[in-house]
Each structure stands twice: as structure tokens, then as C-alpha cells.
């Protein structure tokens, strides 16, 4: 059995009031006692981090934020820093999600600064990359992915891969109901691992956790996670319901056990 446990992260995006967040986190924390073979991570909006942290106390479920700013403190109205996230109990932070790139103009250079800031504060970055539909149709997928990893991870040390997570999320599959086929996803995941091996060496490349994201559901999670280079999922819509998120986790554990 491969060493790394399947890694299942729920990105709640800009959803849920405090009572709703508490209820969902409590249900997942309760179910997680039977899902100890997976690393389960929840990324609520900033407003609900404290509430979800309380709900997860005593469980193995980890807390993540959805974004951060690279400066440590100061006059940056509306921003939240890596030390603040650490203080709030976050073990992970999502960086460079395609919605941040699309609606807030984030670029690889900023993703890089955020990734460095997170690592410096001991918060593990979940760095998102992925091509748009137009880029895929023009046959540019692998170039886009290579550029995003190179730009986003510039200056990152080989040792950082013990805590760094990469999420491959084809933009055309996020929130659209269109999932990449297991073959399409695996092709890109294998390319990411190969690139990491050529830049950082085989050890860090094998150590890197590479998630797939884009309309993951209970029905497609077994086949996706059965692929060699898919180590887990970043789940959006289906993470807003305890039952579907738990079912995805169960299917991922089942696929992981059967993997050579
Ligand atoms: C995401 O937001 O990272 C995501 C993959 O969303 P969805 O699962 O809804 O496609």
C-alpha cells in the first residue's frame, strides 16, 4: 500500500453562516472517527475558522484557510497573514485557486510570494494550478501547468515538499459538473510529478501530494483516486453536504487500499 494517506480537502468557498458551518463541521468530525486512514481538511471562509476549529477539537480533521496575504502585518486593509492563520489554528491554506486568479487577478508571482509566506509560518500551502478550456483546446495544457508550477514554486526548497500540496484543477471542470476523466487527470498528474522530479529530484517528487479538483463526487472518486499519481481531492460543491463529502472520503480510502 502506498505510504501517503488519501488527502481529502473541502473548499467551502464563500458559503455558510456560523450555525451552518458548525453543524457541517460537527457531522464531518463525527464521521471522521471511522475514516482515520485519510487526511481530512476543511477550508471554511475566514469568518467561520474559529467556529469550525471548535467543532473539530478532539478529531483528526484539520483546518485550512482559503487565501492569505504574503506580508506578516501592517496597513493592508481586508487582508489576513500567514502568522494570523497559524494563530487561528490553520494547518493548511489554499493558494492560487482559479477563482482567485479569475476574479481577483492573481498571478503566479503572487502565488509564489504567498506560498513562501505560508511555509515560513509553518502553514502548509495547497497550491492550485490548472488550464482553462481554451488552453486545453489549443493543446497548451502541459505548458500552462509547467509554467504555473515553475512560477508558483520558484525558490521553494526540496525539503518543503514534505508539507506542500499541489492541486490540479482544470478550470473547465470547477463547479461545472464536467469532471476530467481519470485518464485526462492522470496524464496531467504524471506530468506534474515528472516536472517536480526534474527540478527537485525523485524523492521530493514522490513525496509531493498531488490532488485533483473539479466536480469530484461520490460517483467518480473511486476511479479518479485509483490512478497512480492522484493522491486525493480538493472538493468544492460536494463538500457542502456532510454525506457526499464523507462518501467521497470513503471511496478514496477504498481506492487507496486497492492501489498497488
Ligand atoms: C474547487 O473549488 O476547488 C472545486 C474543485 O469545486 P467543485 O468541486 O465544485 O468543482
Amino acid at each position: 500500500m502506498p505510504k501517503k494517506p488519501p488527502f481529502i480537502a473541502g473548499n467551502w468557498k464563500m458559503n455558510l453562516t456560523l450555525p451552518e458551518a458548525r453543524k457541517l463541521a460537527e457531522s464531518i468530525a463525527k464521521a471522521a472517527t471511522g475514516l482515520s486512514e485519510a487526511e481530512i481538511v476543511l477550508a471554511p471562509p475566514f469568518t467561520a475558522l474559529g467556529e469550525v476549529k471548535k467543532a473539530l477539537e478532539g478529531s483528526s480533521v484539520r483546518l485550512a484557510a482559503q487565501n492569505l496575504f504574503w506580508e506578516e502585518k501592517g496597513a493592508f486593509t481586508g487582508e489576513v497573514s500567514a502568522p494570523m492563520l497559524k494563530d487561528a489554528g490553520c494547518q493548511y491554506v489554499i493558494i492560487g485557486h482559479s477563482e482567485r486568479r479569475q476574479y481577483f487577478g492573481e498571478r503566479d508571482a503572487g502565488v509564489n510570494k504567498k506560498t513562501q509566506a505560508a511555509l515560513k509560518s509553518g502553514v502548509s500551502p495547497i497550491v492550485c494550478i490548472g488550464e482553462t478550456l481554451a488552453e486545453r483546446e489549443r493543446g497548451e495544457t502541459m505548458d500552462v501547468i509547467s509554467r504555473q508550477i515553475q512560477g508558483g514554486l520558484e525558490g521553494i526548497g526540496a525539503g518543503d515538499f514534505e508539507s506542500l500540496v499541489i492541486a490540479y484543477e482544470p478550470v473547465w471542470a470547477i463547479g461545472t459538473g464536467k469532471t476530467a476523466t481519470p485518464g485526462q487527470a492522470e496524464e496531467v498528474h504524471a506530468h506534474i510529478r515528472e516536472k517536480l522530479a526534474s527540478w527537485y529530484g525523485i524523492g521530493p517528487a514522490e513525496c509531493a501530494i498531488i490532488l485533483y479538483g473539479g466536480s469530484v463526487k461520490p460517483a467518480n472518486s473511486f476511479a479518479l483516486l485509483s490512478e497512480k499519481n492522484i493522491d486525493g481531492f480538493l472538493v468544492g460543491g460536494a463538500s457542502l453536504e456532510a454525506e457526499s463529502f464523507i462518501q467521497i472520503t470513503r471511496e478514496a480510502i477504498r481506492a487507496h487500499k486497492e492501489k498497488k
Side-chain angles (χ1 to χ4, degrees):
M1 196 162 104
K3 274 199 306 210
K4 291 174 279 188
F7 187 112
I8 315 296
N11 173 14
W12 292 359
K13 309 195 186 191
M14 196 175 73
N15 290 296
L16 307 185
T17 61
L18 293 187
E20 289 166 346
R22 187 189 323 125
K23 187 163 173 258
L24 180 55
E26 279 171 356
S27 306
I28 292 168
K30 197 163 155 225
T33 50
L35 303 168
S36 59
E37 290 143 293
E39 171 85 338
I40 303 175
V41 176
L42 299 181
F46 287 134
T47 48
L49 283 173
E51 197 70 13
V52 171
K53 180 174 182 278
K54 268 188 264 158
L56 299 181
E57 255 155 39
S59 86
S60 59
V61 181
R62 313 285 187 196
L63 190 64
Q66 298 175 17
N67 186 26
L68 84 166
F69 187 54
W70 55 77
E71 294 290 347
E72 287 191 3
K73 61 179 176 178
F76 302 102
T77 302
E79 296 297 327
V80 173
S81 72
M84 287 169 163
L85 295 184
K86 182 84 184 167
D87 190 40
C90 293
Q91 185 157 337
Y92 294 94
V93 57
I94 299 172
I95 297 177
H97 190 279
S98 69
E99 287 150 16
R100 303 253 9 128
R101 295 177 190 256
Q102 193 178 345
Y103 304 126
F104 303 97
E106 293 203 7
R107 299 281 172 271
D108 295 333
V111 168
N112 184 253
K113 286 187 188 175
K114 291 183 175 192
T115 303
Q116 306 250 23
L119 286 167
K120 189 172 165 211
S121 290
V123 181
S124 298
I126 302 176
V127 179
C128 302
I129 54 174
E131 81 287 1
T132 62
L133 184 58
E135 288 164 339
R136 175 163 281 266
E137 285 174 350
R138 288 198 300 268
E140 296 170 3
T141 299
M142 300 308 177
D143 290 342
V144 170
I145 295 300
S146 303
R147 197 184 62 227
Q148 288 177 339
I149 323 174
Q150 203 164 11
L153 301 188
E154 206 185 323
I156 302 298
D160 292 327
F161 283 90
E162 282 179 24
S163 60
L164 193 135
V165 179
I166 294 177
Y168 166 58
E169 301 205 296
V171 178
W172 49 271
I174 297 180
T176 59
K178 280 188 208 158
T179 320
T181 63
Q184 281 173 320
E186 171 61 18
E187 192 186 13
V188 179
H189 281 235
H191 172 80
I192 296 169
R193 216 178 294 278
E194 258 171 52
K195 282 284 159 199
L196 295 180
S198 70
W199 293 325
Y200 298 95
I202 304 253
E206 304 250 289
C207 188
I209 294 170
I210 310 177
L211 310 180
Y212 168 79
S215 299
V216 173
K217 305 177 207 62
N220 57 26
S221 44
F222 180 85
L224 283 161
L225 206 122
S226 299
E227 294 292 341
K228 180 165 178 264
N229 288 291
I230 300 184
D231 302 318
F233 301 125
L234 182 53
V235 186
S239 72
L240 290 170
E241 271 181 28
E243 194 41 51
S244 55
F245 186 69
I246 291 161
Q247 196 51 34
I248 287 170
T249 308
R250 280 201 196 104
E251 290 295 295
I253 292 172
R254 192 165 71 85
H256 181 73
K257 279 187 181 151
E258 290 183 17
K259 242 174 177 175
K260 297 277 176 310

